[in-house]
Each structure stands twice: as structure tokens, then as C-alpha cells.
Amino acid sequence: MNRYWEIDALRGLMLVLMTVTHLPTRFTDPLGQPFGFVSAAEGFVLLSAFVAGLVYTRIGQRQGVDSMRRAFWRRALKVYMAQAATLLFLFTIVGTVGTRIDQPAVTNLLSYYLADPSEAFVFSLLLVYEPALLDILPMYIFFMLMSPWVLAFALRHGWTGVVVASATLWALAQFGLSEWLYALAARHLGLPVPFHEMGAFNAFAWQFLWFAGLWMGASRNAPDAKPFRFSNWLVALAAAAALYGFWWRHHGINGQAPFGGDEQMNLLFDKWQLGPLRIVNLVVLGILAVRFGPAFMRRIPRMHGLEAMGSASLPVFCAHLVAVLLVLAFYGDSQTARPWWGDVLLLAAVLGWLYAVARTALWRRRRARDKNDGAPSVWPD
């Protein structure tokens, strides 16, 4: 099936924003959550789920559920291998450099691994131990493994039951479901990994965003599928809410913490728990993107750089982690370790590296397609 270059460009933009956010520079805070209290991670997960729903539903309809399931599993295995390779890079290259120069940004990041390397290595390959920055791909793998069963159910019985179950699980996650399950595992299975070393993202909350995107993508394959449309009053309301969120984020005195030191109120916008007001902020931005995005994209030149990065999202994501981890190892996590022009050069070098990785990945993909007599690859690559 034909790719939508607009979606690839958006995914590329999300990758650039992630890179700017994760690299410790003077641009980290101003460009973190640039559109309100929503980060690039939400956009990237939602777009990836949309593409997965669009592509794999078509495979299921044309080749059967078994073929769809195998396609999901192949993708999950590919992501797992990328996660394992990135972990190996972290534990060897970054860990060695960071410990030799006694870099706190690295020793703090790897505190559990440094305390018990063999145990941490095994549990990292089991996707239980998830060091910071390397905790989004395990969640993605979990979603990919669950998706064929959810899609198969939805194709037979509709999406109502899926949406209700997903929303219920999200609500339970807001009230400590993850902590409760961890306590059971620690008590009855002797799980040694500390809870805070199991990744910042609450997968039980974020699955709601994934399956919402999966539903939106799958719905595009219906014979009577119509473009998403919203009434004018809803678009106006979304615009007002989005503008207020943007103003609050950039002109409020608390920056990315909407309620300052009030931790309980900040949970309403919490990224890791996918708080309810964060979802509202994402929804209003999504309404505006659907309403005005297509016309906007038609009026601007194609962004081939972003498009290339979005087309090769997995290798580019891993490449951005490599760059960020190396910067942490050599410079630490200070955002003022370099002059402003040094930050500009660093960002330019890293973004150039990501583009080179993207072009190389696309070249390899074309070669593989030519060897397979022109058979197209599955789009989510």
C-alpha cells in the first residue's frame, strides 16, 4: 500500500522533538512539550498505532488473521532486537566511559546495573529492568504483542468492548494498578528489580492511547469510511483550549509543571501516568491537526528530511538514543555545559547523524525490496 508522506513527516517531527528534549542543552526546556502539556512521545505513539491499525488490519482482511498475527510478531521481534542492541551499547560503551570518568549522569542512570550486572542484564533482556530513556520500546513491544488479539476481536465484534476495556484499564492505572501488581510479583515471585527501575511509562495507562490510535487506523479500512470531521463549534472550542494550554505552558510561571510544587494537581497532567487533562490537551490538538493539517500540508513544500526520518523511525529512534547516551557520558546532564553556539553545533551534528541513519536505512530497504522482486515492505518500518 502507498505510504502517506504526511504521516512520515509528522513522525519525523516527533523524533526531532524527542531528540531536542533528551539532549541536555539550553533548548531542552523551551522546546520540551512545545504545543502545550503534551510531549512528542504521545504524538509518536498515537501515529505509530494509527499506522499499525491501518496496515495490519488490511493484512488481516486480505490474507487472514494468522498472517496479520505473524506480521505483528515479526515487527515485535525487530523492535526487541533493536532494544537489545541499544541495551548492549548502554551497558558496554556508555557504561565503561561513564564509570571511568566518574560521570554522575551515567552512574545514576545505571545504578541498578552497576550494583548487580548479571541480574540487571538478564532482567533487561526480559524487558523488566528498563533504564531511563530505554523504556519506550519495551512498552511498544508489549502493545505489538497484544494488538493482533485485540484487532482480531474488534474485526469480529466491533470496537465498543475494546474501547470500554481499554478506558477501564487506564482508569485503574490512575489509582495504582501498576504498583499493586508489582507488590504481588515482589511478594509471590521474589521479583528483585525495584519498581522505579521498571520504566517511567505506565503501560497500563498508555495502552489507552495505543488502542485509540489502532482503532482510528483500522477504521480507515472500512468500505464506508469517511474522513474524520468535527463540527465548527467543537473546532472552535478545541482551538480555545489548545491556545490556553500553549499560553499556560510557555507563559505560566511554572513552565512544564502546570501547578508548580503541587504534586497531586500535577498528576492531572502527568506524562508517565497519561493524566486526564493531558489526554484532553492531546485531543484538542488532534482535532485541530485533523481539521487544518491536510490543508496546511498541501500549502508547504514536502519536508523530505523529516519524511526520511519518519520512514525509518525505528533505526532513527535508536540512533537518537546512541547520541543522547554519548553526550551524557562525556558531558553529563547539565544543560549549560557548553556555550549557546556549542549547543547549536551539537544539535546540528546529532540531527545530521539522524538524517544519515535514515537515508542509510532507506537505501538498505530499497536494496532488500529489489532482491525480493520489488515486493513492498510492511509500512510501520
Side-chain angles (χ1 to χ4, degrees):
M1 65 183 300
N2 295 328
R3 301 183 72 102
Y4 293 128
W5 73 267
E6 299 91 342
I7 292 180
D8 282 333
L10 283 173
R11 291 206 294 181
L13 176 61
M14 297 302 113
L15 287 165
V16 169
L17 290 175
M18 282 186 198
T19 303
V20 174
T21 300
H22 292 156
L23 277 176
T25 70
R26 289 173 172 79
F27 302 100
T28 299
D29 286 339
L31 295 180
Q33 302 188 152
F35 307 115
F37 295 101
V38 175
S39 70
E42 288 92 327
F44 190 79
V45 169
L46 189 63
L47 287 170
S48 297
F50 178 88
V51 171
L54 181 68
V55 172
Y56 292 113
T57 299
R58 188 163 298 184
I59 293 175
Q61 291 172 339
R62 295 182 176 180
Q63 303 176 29
V65 172
D66 288 341
S67 295
M68 177 185 71
R69 187 176 296 117
R70 287 192 295 270
F72 266 117
W73 289 348
R74 285 194 297 269
R75 179 62 176 172
L77 178 61
K78 186 174 183 178
V79 177
Y80 177 82
M81 297 304 294
Q83 172 73 0
T86 311
L87 284 167
L88 186 62
F89 176 78
L90 171 63
F91 293 152
T92 56
I93 305 300
V94 175
T96 299
V97 172
T99 53
R100 284 190 176 180
I101 64 177
D102 193 23
Q103 178 59 259
V106 173
T107 55
N108 292 337
L109 177 67
L110 291 177
S111 59
Y112 179 62
Y113 174 78
L114 295 175
D116 195 335
S118 58
E119 181 179 270
F121 182 71
V122 170
F123 278 103
S124 70
L125 293 181
L126 293 174
L127 306 182
V128 176
Y129 167 45
E130 301 172 11
L133 298 176
L134 277 74
D135 51 359
I136 192 169
L137 289 186
M139 182 175 67
Y140 188 85
I141 294 167
F142 170 70
F143 295 157
M144 293 294 288
L145 293 175
M146 290 293 297
S147 292
W149 309 103
V150 172
L151 267 181
F153 178 89
L155 289 174
R156 294 190 183 100
H157 306 288
W159 282 92
T160 302
V162 173
V163 172
V164 170
S166 180
T168 300
L169 196 58
W170 170 84
L172 292 173
Q174 306 305 306
F175 294 97
L177 175 63
S178 297
E179 292 83 351
W180 180 73
L181 291 175
Y182 172 80
L184 288 180
R187 183 182 307 116
H188 298 292
L189 302 178
L191 181 64
V193 182
F195 182 76
H196 68 273
E197 297 286 2
M198 296 176 67
F201 290 92
N202 187 330
F204 294 107
W206 277 72
Q207 56 76 33
F208 179 67
L209 185 59
W210 174 268
F211 289 119
L214 202 69
W215 160 71
M216 287 189 289
S219 69
R220 300 301 86 201
N221 288 307
D224 57 346
K226 298 178 180 179
F228 293 116
R229 297 189 185 280
F230 305 100
S231 59
N232 291 335
W233 69 266
L234 185 59
V235 172
L237 184 63
L243 287 172
Y244 182 72
F246 180 86
W247 176 86
W248 192 358
R249 157 66 183 92
H250 290 283
H251 296 282
I253 61 174
N254 299 315
Q256 296 192 50
F259 296 102
D262 192 331
E263 296 183 4
Q264 290 301 312
M265 290 297 292
N266 283 331
L267 287 176
L268 295 173
F269 281 103
D270 189 70
K271 174 180 179 178
W272 315 118
Q273 296 287 114
L274 200 62
L277 292 184
R278 195 173 193 88
I279 292 179
V280 171
N281 201 165
L282 178 63
V283 168
V284 298
L285 290 173
I287 290 173
L288 296 179
V290 170
R291 174 62 180 83
F292 300 108
F296 175 76
M297 298 297 274
R298 286 194 298 268
R299 287 170 170 78
I300 63 173
R302 285 184 65 166
M303 295 168 285
H304 294 286
L306 293 179
E307 186 179 344
M309 286 191 248
S311 300
S313 58
L314 181 58
V316 170
F317 178 84
C318 293
H320 115 274
L321 288 178
V322 168
V324 171
L325 291 172
L326 286 175
V327 170
L328 290 176
F330 285 103
Y331 288 100
D333 55 7
S334 172
Q335 297 180 8
T336 57
R338 295 160 300 278
W340 68 267
W341 56 265
D343 285 344
V344 172
L345 290 177
L346 176 63
L347 279 173
V350 171
L351 293 179
W353 153 249
L354 298 188
Y355 181 70
V357 169
R359 298 307 309 180
T360 302
L362 295 177
W363 173 74
R364 290 170 60 87
R365 187 186 301 170
R366 283 195 298 270
R367 288 192 63 188
R369 185 174 62 237
D370 292 340
K371 289 182 179 180
N372 293 327
D373 298 324
S377 62
V378 177
W379 185 7
D381 289 342

